[in-house]
Amino acid sequence: MIDKPIETVMRESNRDILIPADLVATVNQDNNLQHVFMVLTKVKYAKIPVLDNDNHFKGLVSLPMITELMMQDTGITSRPLEAIKVKQIMQKDVPTIYERDNLEAILRYLVDENFLVFVDADTHFKGIITRRELFKEINYLAHNFNKRYIALPVYNHKSKSETKNAKVHGSKGMIN
Ligand code: AMP
């Protein structure tokens, strides 16, 4: 569980860590891979969300998923891309979040992934939460924590350097 003071200060930043859907580059699940290839190349994002006609979130597509199909025995070609729809190759088993205040889950997920997809209860795509936006929150926390709380060392706690010094110089006079 996240310590209450940490969560309180992060929430006080009043910044929205969500990039809203209208600012996120997406493709439609029926788009062919030629189109998706061009979109990904243009927006320069490694991976983007795939939606259906009603804006439901369906999956994710990345450039490597497409370039793999372009590699033929004879060399690299974009010819096969026209006949394949993105829904045939997209990543479908993608965790999403619909409680945007669940900081605990967001932090845990973004340890391994670059972004987290935010949906409503009917899986309509609402936006993404990226590592970059979360880092801005952590930066805010690092610079503002002591404006709201006084951090005291835990009694009996030894920092790594104290422990190292104790080993080198002996532990005389230290509280053990
Ligand atoms: P960042 O933390 O800003 O580097 O973003 C992490 C990842 O989130 C990027 O590599 C993209 O896959 C995705 N992403 C960020 N912003 C957008 C956007 N506006 N549209 C689509 N995908 C995005």
Side-chain angles (χ1 to χ4, degrees):
M1 223 175 89
I2 296 175
D3 288 346
K4 207 78 212 145
I6 302 278
E7 191 163 355
T8 306
V9 178
M10 280 177 92
R11 291 199 190 290
E12 273 176 10
S13 81
N14 281 333
R15 286 184 59 257
D16 193 354
I17 58 171
L18 182 79
I19 300 181
D22 56 338
L23 296 181
V24 179
T26 60
V27 287
N28 185 284
Q29 63 172 353
D30 290 318
N31 287 152
N32 71 41
L33 294 187
Q34 190 115 44
H35 174 80
V36 180
F37 179 72
M38 285 192 297
V39 172
L40 280 166
T41 309
K42 202 131 187 99
V43 297
K44 298 188 175 73
Y45 290 121
K47 216 178 220 188
I48 58 173
V50 181
L51 311 182
D52 70 8
N53 290 334
D54 298 317
N55 279 333
H56 292 108
F57 172 71
K58 290 295 179 185
L60 296 174
V61 64
S62 70
L63 215 41
M65 290 177 195
I66 299 176
T67 46
E68 209 179 310
L69 298 168
M70 294 166 74
M71 287 192 283
Q72 310 273 310
D73 295 340
T74 49
I76 295 174
T77 170
S78 67
R79 218 168 303 125
L81 303 186
E82 226 169 304
I84 306 170
K85 289 184 174 180
V86 63
K87 66 181 171 193
Q88 293 171 253
I89 64 138
M90 68 187 178
Q91 178 190 346
K92 290 180 189 145
D93 57 335
V94 185
T96 56
I97 193 163
Y98 65 94
E99 294 170 301
R100 62 192 284 176
D101 286 341
N102 193 341
L103 201 54
E104 172 97 37
I106 294 169
L107 275 169
R108 208 172 332 111
Y109 186 82
L110 291 181
V111 168
D112 293 319
E113 301 294 335
N114 283 332
F115 69 97
L116 175 58
V117 172
F118 177 58
V119 292
D120 68 12
D122 297 321
T123 73
H124 288 111
F125 178 67
K126 292 288 163 192
I128 58 174
I129 296 167
T130 63
R131 252 189 208 169
R132 186 192 301 270
E133 293 308 308
L134 187 72
F135 257 92
K136 288 183 191 166
E137 285 300 287
I138 293 170
N139 193 26
Y140 176 89
L141 169 71
H143 290 93
N144 291 279
F145 186 79
N146 66 1
K147 290 182 188 153
R148 280 284 265 117
Y149 291 90
I150 297 166
L152 295 171
V154 174
Y155 182 69
N156 242 359
H157 169 78
K158 275 191 216 165
S159 71
K160 267 190 188 155
S161 62
E162 279 172 338
T163 313
K164 206 171 144 198
N165 281 343
K167 273 186 195 146
V168 176
H169 304 297
S171 60
K172 255 190 192 168
M174 289 190 74
I175 304 164
N176 284 306

